[in-house]
């Protein structure tokens, strides 16, 4: 029997999301599209929540424009996206009219295949997007978020797949976002799914624990139809099995992919060079890490968590946070760890560790989760924790979006003339703060991508502009001598300064915020340390989202007085004592540090 295995390559989405914090720019994708289009992939994964977010937040690219350019450059290959069901690409449930509008626009702009998942595997949250994909005449792929727990049995996964099949999906994906699958478990699950359903089965498995290619082989032997891979120069580790490796492994067997290995190798060399450009985003956890088999933290989450911990000077607490994550997960009824539940569980674990006491601070997202507002938990949640978090408030048991009124018209009104198209409205809908900022900057003509650090080697390229005579240094680092020129220190808007740094002739623009101005502007670092019982402070560095009280207000102990944001999660900060607000030292948007007095109550 011969059965050709088809391939989805993740190089333009999940590979750089897993290894380079999702920072690859369109300019590095387009030059290789001609070759990618000739490979004969079943599809190329190109779009998802994190790619959209990174475009708008860091790269200052219009993600819709990227999609249209890729579509034009890849006319012969299906383009695929990852969609978070009723959450679309954002972090909350959207009303059904927004879901339908988003899917329709994604289809028009170039998406052919929608891989649709719900973080809780609550199929009620998939229904509307599946309907919308079918209405657009596109391929709907129903997704099982793979995880292990006492409630995640093979029978439970097969039941879920059958419900998705009844909803009209065209294929089933096993999404192993954390690299939790083991080869024999994969074989068993694939065989059970193929036995129960006439649909194609695709395996998406991260190689974090070093076993993903074995899982794919076992999947193939048990009837899987397709595998997700990544071009080898951006494969392995928290990414996927290398495309060339899998093509070579299956060549000349009944499962031959038929793909041109030499052509893929050329593409591999191209991305080898591209990866260097983004070296500053390389995760410190790129090798084989079997801890995932214990803590279940997905690859993307590890690299993002590490980046965020590093920013906050707390990378040394990583192991403690990884140990706390499975405990929080059990308390919440074993949700799979994938956006947004990975952030919800990860951030709560982080608070539990940093506060030195479990659930001393409970994030707003955990409260909403415990109210049922993300969907049905796979297992039992800890009732004591639920009562502590939500008090006497109701728990909902309907599909969360059933409680939402149509909101597209309202969103359109909110963003107003800044939106030049329905796509712009949807950008704002997905990411209200950074989406609005992006559209404002576009209007003002000030969109500027984040600066990349120089590649640490070079060969005499001239510095790009800059005024004045370069200041030259010769420095010795570990016995190597480097010639360093610095040119053109100047002001670059919003108190930022910049200069050109060239090491051995390799130039790079460096933009920085002088510390004194930063501190003066935000107030961070100037506030005194909390000491009185009525001093309100936080346990995490973060930003003030809202100030809920003003001077002179009477407050009760435990009343929410501030909302802060750290690591994309919002948290209420409560009054430590009852009394009167004597002073408020923060405003919306301020950056704050742990231990500072933000509000005084006496
Ligand atoms: Mn993935």
């Amino acid at each position: 029997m011969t059965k050709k295995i088809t391939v989805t390559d993740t190089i333009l989405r999940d590979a750089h999301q897993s290894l380079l914090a999702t920072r690859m720019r369109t300019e590095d994708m387009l030059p290789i599209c001609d070759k990618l289009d000739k490979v004969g992939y079943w599809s190329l994964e190109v779009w998802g929540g994190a790619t959209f977010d990174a475009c708008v937040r860091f790269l200052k690219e219009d993600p819709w424009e990227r999609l249209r350019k890729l579509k034009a450059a890849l006319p012969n290959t299906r383009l695929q996206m990852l969609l978070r069901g009723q959450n679309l690409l954002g972090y909350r449930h959207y009303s059904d009219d927004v879901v339908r509008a988003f899917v329709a626009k994604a289809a028009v702009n170039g998406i052919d295949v929608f891989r649709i998942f719900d973080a809780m595997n609550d199929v009620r949250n998939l229904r509307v997007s599946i309907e919308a994909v079918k209405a657009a005449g596109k391929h709907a792929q129903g997704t099982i978020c793979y995880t292990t727990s006492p409630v995640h049995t093979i029978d439970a996964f097969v039941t879920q797949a059958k419900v998705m099949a009844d909803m009209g999906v065209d294929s089933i994906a096993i999404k192993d976002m954390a690299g939790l699958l083991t080869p024999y478990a994969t074989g068993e699950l694939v065989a059970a799914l193929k036995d129960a359903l006439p649909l194609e089965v695709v395996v998406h498995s991260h190689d974090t624990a070093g076993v993903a290619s074995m899982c794919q082989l076992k999947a193939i032997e048990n009837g899987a139809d397709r595998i997700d891979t990544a071009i080898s120069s951006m494969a392995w580790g928290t990414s996927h099995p290398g495309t060339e490796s899998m093509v070579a492994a299956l060549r000349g067997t009944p499962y031959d992919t038929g793909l041109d290995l030499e052509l893929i190798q050329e593409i591999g060399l191209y991305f080898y060079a591209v990866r260097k450009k983004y070296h500053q985003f390389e995760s410190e956890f790129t090798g084989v890490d079997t801890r995932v088999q214990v803590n279940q933290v997905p690859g993307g989450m590890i690299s993002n968590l590490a980046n965020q911990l590093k920013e906050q000077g707390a990378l040394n607490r990583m192991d403690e946070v990884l140990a706390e994550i499975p405990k929080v997960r059990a308390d919440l009824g074993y949700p799979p760890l994938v956006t947004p539940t990975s952030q919800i569980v990860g951030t709560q674990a982080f608070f539990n560790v940093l506060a030195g006491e479990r659930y001393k601070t409970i994030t707003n997202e955990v409260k909403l989760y415990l109210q049922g507002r993300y969907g049905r938990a796979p297992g039992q949640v800890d009732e004591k924790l639920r009562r502590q978090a939500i008090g006497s408030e109701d728990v909902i048991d309907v599909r969360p979006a059933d409680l939402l009124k149509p909101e597209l018209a309202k969103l359109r009104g909110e963003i107003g003339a800044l939106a030049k198209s329905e796509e712009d409205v949807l950008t704002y809908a997905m990411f209200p703060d950074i989406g609005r900022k992006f559209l404002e900057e576009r209007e003002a003509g000030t969109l500027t991508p984040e600066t990349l650090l120089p590649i640490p080697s070079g060969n005499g390229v001239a510095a790009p502009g800059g005024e004045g005579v370069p200041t030259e240094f010769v420095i010795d680092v570990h016995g190597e001598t480097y010639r360093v020129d610095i040119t053109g220190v100047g002001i670059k808007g919003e108190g930022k300064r910049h200069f050109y740094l060239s090491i051995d002739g390799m130039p790079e623009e460096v933009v920085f915020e002088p510390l004194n101005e930063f501190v003066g502007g935000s107030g961070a670092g100037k506030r005194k340390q909390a000491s009185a019982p009525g001093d309100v402070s936080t346990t995490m560095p973060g930003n003030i989202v809202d100030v809920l009280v003003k001077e002179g207000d009477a407050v009760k102990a435990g009343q929410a007085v501030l909302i802060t944001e750290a690591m994309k999660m919002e948290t209420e900060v409560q009054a430590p004592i009852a009394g009167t607000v004597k002073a408020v030292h923060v405003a919306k948007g301020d950056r704050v540090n742990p231990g500072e007095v933000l509000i005084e109550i006496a």
Side-chain angles (χ1 to χ4, degrees):
M1 188 201 80
T2 298
K3 177 176 180 177
K4 183 179 170 179
I5 297 297
T6 51
V7 177
T8 292
D9 205 304
T10 62
I11 183 69
L12 301 180
R13 202 282 294 181
D14 206 354
H16 69 105
Q17 179 173 336
S18 299
L19 298 175
L20 303 172
T22 333
R23 293 311 218 287
M24 201 197 293
R25 301 177 183 192
T26 307
E27 67 193 29
D28 291 316
M29 301 177 180
L30 295 176
I32 199 69
C33 280
D34 186 45
K35 283 186 179 163
L36 283 169
D37 200 36
K38 290 193 173 84
V39 171
Y41 291 121
W42 189 86
S43 65
L44 274 161
E45 193 191 33
V46 298
W47 232 42
T51 41
F52 200 103
D53 183 335
C55 273
V56 174
R57 189 187 299 266
F58 301 114
L59 311 182
K60 303 298 178 181
E61 288 184 18
D62 183 340
W64 299 94
E65 185 65 29
R66 172 185 288 187
L67 178 55
R68 288 190 291 270
K69 285 180 177 166
L70 290 173
K71 188 66 183 173
L74 295 158
N76 302 304
T77 310
R78 292 180 190 88
L79 300 189
Q80 183 169 322
M81 79 169 293
L82 183 62
L83 190 76
R84 300 169 190 154
Q86 201 75 25
N87 289 11
L88 297 173
L89 302 181
Y91 300 100
R92 67 172 177 93
H93 284 255
Y94 289 92
S95 61
D96 292 340
D97 63 332
V98 177
V99 172
R100 291 183 207 281
F102 184 88
V103 169
K105 280 295 175 193
V108 165
N109 281 277
I111 297 294
D112 304 293
V113 181
F114 293 75
R115 177 175 290 168
I116 309 167
F117 76 94
D118 176 68
M120 314 275 272
N121 282 328
D122 184 340
V123 288
R124 299 174 307 171
N125 295 334
L126 304 177
R127 182 177 53 78
V128 174
S129 26
I130 293 170
E131 284 170 10
V133 170
K134 296 317 294 171
K138 302 297 182 182
H139 184 113
Q141 191 170 82
T143 305
I144 292 168
C145 291
Y146 182 78
T147 188
T148 55
S149 85
V151 298
H152 289 93
T153 59
I154 292 213
D155 280 354
F157 287 133
V158 170
T159 302
Q160 184 195 344
K162 283 181 177 164
V163 177
M164 294 191 294
D166 290 342
M167 286 177 171
V169 299
D170 301 287
S171 60
I172 301 285
I174 301 170
K175 177 179 166 63
D176 175 24
M177 51 280 170
L180 276 172
L181 277 172
T182 51
Y184 291 90
T186 313
E188 212 184 326
L189 177 57
V190 169
L193 289 169
K194 290 301 288 185
D195 200 39
L197 292 164
L199 298 177
E200 286 196 325
V201 171
V202 191
V203 178
H204 173 97
S205 183
H206 288 262
D207 197 47
T208 317
V211 299
S213 55
M214 288 187 272
C215 294
Q216 295 196 329
L217 189 61
K218 278 288 165 194
I220 289 164
E221 288 177 357
N222 282 278
D225 301 273
R226 190 173 313 125
I227 52 175
D228 276 17
T229 62
I231 294 283
S232 64
S233 43
M234 291 207 201
W236 314 111
T238 54
S239 180
H240 297 273
T243 310
E244 300 93 305
S245 313
M246 294 307 295
V247 169
L250 299 173
R251 198 161 52 163
T253 75
Y255 309 113
D256 200 324
T257 63
L259 301 185
D260 180 345
L261 190 53
E262 278 179 46
L263 177 59
I264 309 173
Q265 283 170 348
E266 283 175 40
I267 299 169
L269 282 174
Y270 172 83
F271 282 109
Y272 177 77
V274 167
R275 184 168 176 171
K276 286 186 180 172
K277 175 172 165 183
Y278 300 99
H279 65 95
Q280 77 208 69
F281 304 110
E282 292 273 357
S283 162
E284 302 200 0
F285 298 85
T286 51
V288 169
D289 186 348
T290 53
R291 282 181 303 177
V292 70
Q293 293 281 341
V294 177
N295 62 41
Q296 307 206 324
V297 182
M301 185 180 171
I302 292 180
S303 59
N304 281 329
L305 198 60
N307 266 330
Q308 286 164 328
L309 284 169
K310 201 157 47 175
E311 272 173 24
Q312 311 204 1
L315 195 59
N316 60 328
R317 312 289 306 259
M318 187 72 171
D319 284 345
E320 288 169 77
V321 175
L322 289 178
E324 175 67 9
I325 285 170
K327 296 180 194 161
V328 173
R329 182 171 173 252
D331 293 340
L332 298 183
Y334 300 105
L337 292 183
V338 63
T339 303
T341 47
S342 53
Q343 282 84 348
I344 294 171
V345 172
T347 306
Q348 185 60 53
F350 192 73
F351 275 99
N352 286 359
V353 168
L354 249 74
E357 183 187 327
R358 305 189 74 219
Y359 302 112
K360 185 177 177 190
T361 301
I362 298 177
T363 67
N364 282 350
E365 283 75 9
V366 167
K367 288 181 190 173
L368 293 172
Y369 176 100
L370 290 167
Q371 283 180 326
R373 291 187 183 274
Y374 288 92
R376 203 181 279 136
Q380 287 295 316
V381 305
D382 183 314
E383 276 305 326
K384 199 168 142 257
L385 173 62
R386 170 134 73 188
R387 283 302 143 210
Q388 181 193 336
I390 69 170
S392 57
E393 287 171 53
D394 286 343
V395 176
I396 66 159
D397 61 0
V398 294
R399 183 184 73 121
D402 287 343
L403 304 173
L404 301 174
K405 293 193 185 73
E407 56 183 332
L408 193 55
K410 178 171 153 276
L411 290 162
R412 225 180 258 134
E414 281 171 15
I415 195 62
L418 279 175
K420 308 299 178 207
S421 63
E422 191 77 348
E423 283 84 349
D424 288 344
V425 174
L426 292 163
T427 298
Y428 166 69
M430 295 306 104
F431 300 100
D433 295 337
I434 60 161
R436 176 182 288 278
K437 186 159 177 258
F438 174 85
L439 296 174
E440 282 170 356
E441 289 174 359
R442 189 182 66 185
E443 185 85 4
T446 58
L447 286 173
T448 315
E450 64 184 346
T451 306
L452 297 174
L453 297 175
I455 298 168
S457 68
N459 52 4
V461 185
E467 285 160 19
V469 181
T471 306
E472 295 178 25
F473 304 90
V474 176
I475 55 168
D476 275 282
V477 180
H478 301 308
E480 294 274 1
T481 303
Y482 299 91
R483 205 192 82 230
V484 180
D485 299 340
I486 294 181
T487 323
V489 178
I491 306 290
K492 192 169 177 123
E494 288 185 354
K496 291 195 177 105
R497 296 178 181 219
H498 74 131
F499 60 87
Y500 292 100
L501 171 75
S502 110
I503 299 173
D504 284 345
M506 191 68 181
E508 191 64 42
E509 187 189 14
V510 178
V511 181
F512 64 102
E513 257 175 293
L515 201 56
N516 56 348
E517 292 180 25
F518 175 68
V519 169
S522 71
K526 280 197 161 178
R527 299 181 197 97
K528 59 180 182 173
Q529 289 293 302
S531 54
D535 288 348
V536 177
S537 63
T538 63
T539 49
M540 291 259 292
N543 299 303
I544 301 293
V545 175
D546 211 354
V547 181
L548 306 173
V549 293
K550 56 184 192 309
E551 228 176 279
D553 283 359
V555 293
K556 293 182 203 144
Q559 179 183 333
V561 292
L562 285 174
I563 297 177
T564 62
E565 180 269 347
M567 300 168 70
K568 292 187 192 165
M569 290 289 129
E570 293 185 0
T571 310
E572 280 178 7
V573 180
Q574 289 142 357
I577 59 167
T580 306
V581 175
K582 294 294 175 198
V584 177
H585 300 293
V586 284
K588 213 168 155 170
D590 281 359
R591 175 118 190 115
V592 297
N593 290 315
E596 291 172 355
V597 180
L598 308 179
I599 291 179
E600 292 177 57
I601 299 168

